[in-house]
Amino acid sequence: QALLPPGHVIRPLSKTDWIVRDNTSFLSTLEVLTTVGKISYAKFQERFDYLKQHNDHYYTIVIEDRRRNEQGSAETDLAPLGQGKIVAAGTVVVERKFIHELGKVGHIEDIAVRADQQGKKLGQRIIESLMSIGAAVGCYKVILDCSEKNVPFYEKCGFERKGVEMGWYV
Ligand code: ACO
């Protein structure tokens, strides 16, 4: 937490992060990546419950800005935990393999920092946390796919180019 801007916390996704506060929510944060579409609170909670039941596979974290205004960061200026603005998010999915003696691989997915919050190291903090989770649960490597323009960002986070990404869209 010490490396985050004042009033910011990094924490697991919560079941109420669907709720829109100050025009921000978890789902609207993901819109910097691609189309999210309309997802009802019930459907969000259904997906959340699935992830929760598989919480040794899926680790989704968010950065919450608890400040009620840009200036304030004293405890009295902060919204209760869970009631601030979601400004960044990311996931690591832990794959169980047979190779490497039943090794585990972490796959980093859906890294998103709200457009007006980019360049403040929030993305880097999300990646560092996901790398720590991967290491803590015993992954022998953590990998990800990204576009060419994001390569310098991931290199700053300690990743290096490996192989070629391929895709098949149904
Ligand atoms: N080119 C060069 N350097 C970059 C870039 C870039 N495109 N993006 C960040 N950096 C550098 C920063 O300058 C900083 O360097 P410094 O330590 O020398 O100051 C360092 O990387 C860390 O940058 P952050 O401030 O942590 O970056 P930010 O918070 O803006 O997050 C991110 C980066 C996640 C790419 C964000 O811009 C974003 O959400 N973009 C839109 C969505 C996206 O592309 N997500 C990634 C998809 S890939 C995936 O999910 C696996």
Side-chain angles (χ1 to χ4, degrees), residues 10 61-63 88-91 108 111-113 121-131:
I10 196 160
I61 58 172
V62 297
I63 296 179
T91 294
I108 286 186
I111 305 303
V113 177
K121 298 270 201 285
L122 302 181
Q124 194 169 335
R125 301 299 167 240
I126 288 277
I127 296 296
E128 288 163 354
S129 299
L130 297 175
M131 290 162 79

Side-chain angles (χ1 to χ4, degrees), residues 1-9 63-67 73 87 117 120-122 125:
Q1 304 289 359
L3 294 169
L4 289 169
H8 289 60
V9 289
I63 296 179
E64 176 184 346
D65 178 0
R66 293 177 58 200
R67 294 172 306 163
S73 63
V87 289
Q117 301 295 317
K120 296 163 76 176
K121 298 270 201 285
L122 302 181
R125 301 299 167 240

Side-chain angles (χ1 to χ4, degrees), residues 10 26 29-34 59-63 87-93 107-115 118 121-131 142-147 149-150 153-154 157 159:
I10 196 160
F26 169 65
T29 300
L30 295 183
E31 281 171 354
V32 294
L33 283 163
T34 187
Y59 299 85
T60 296
I61 58 172
V62 297
I63 296 179
V87 289
T91 294
V92 62
V93 182
H107 298 265
I108 286 186
E109 291 285 341
D110 297 349
I111 305 303
V113 177
R114 297 189 78 82
Q118 291 175 7
K121 298 270 201 285
L122 302 181
Q124 194 169 335
R125 301 299 167 240
I126 288 277
I127 296 296
E128 288 163 354
S129 299
L130 297 175
M131 290 162 79
V142 175
I143 57 179
L144 59 86
D145 293 331
C146 73
S147 62
K149 79 174 170 48
N150 283 332
F153 165 69
Y154 288 111
C157 295
F159 284 75

Side-chain angles (χ1 to χ4, degrees), residues 32-75:
V32 294
L33 283 163
T34 187
T35 310
V36 176
K38 280 199 181 352
I39 298 172
S40 68
Y41 198 14
K43 287 286 177 197
F44 174 82
Q45 296 199 321
E46 201 179 296
R47 176 56 49 91
F48 181 91
D49 287 342
Y50 177 89
L51 300 184
K52 194 82 182 164
Q53 282 157 20
H54 300 84
N55 64 2
D56 55 347
H57 289 202
Y58 294 97
Y59 299 85
T60 296
I61 58 172
V62 297
I63 296 179
E64 176 184 346
D65 178 0
R66 293 177 58 200
R67 294 172 306 163
R68 293 185 204 276
N69 59 64
E70 295 282 305
Q71 290 75 38
S73 63
E75 196 56 39

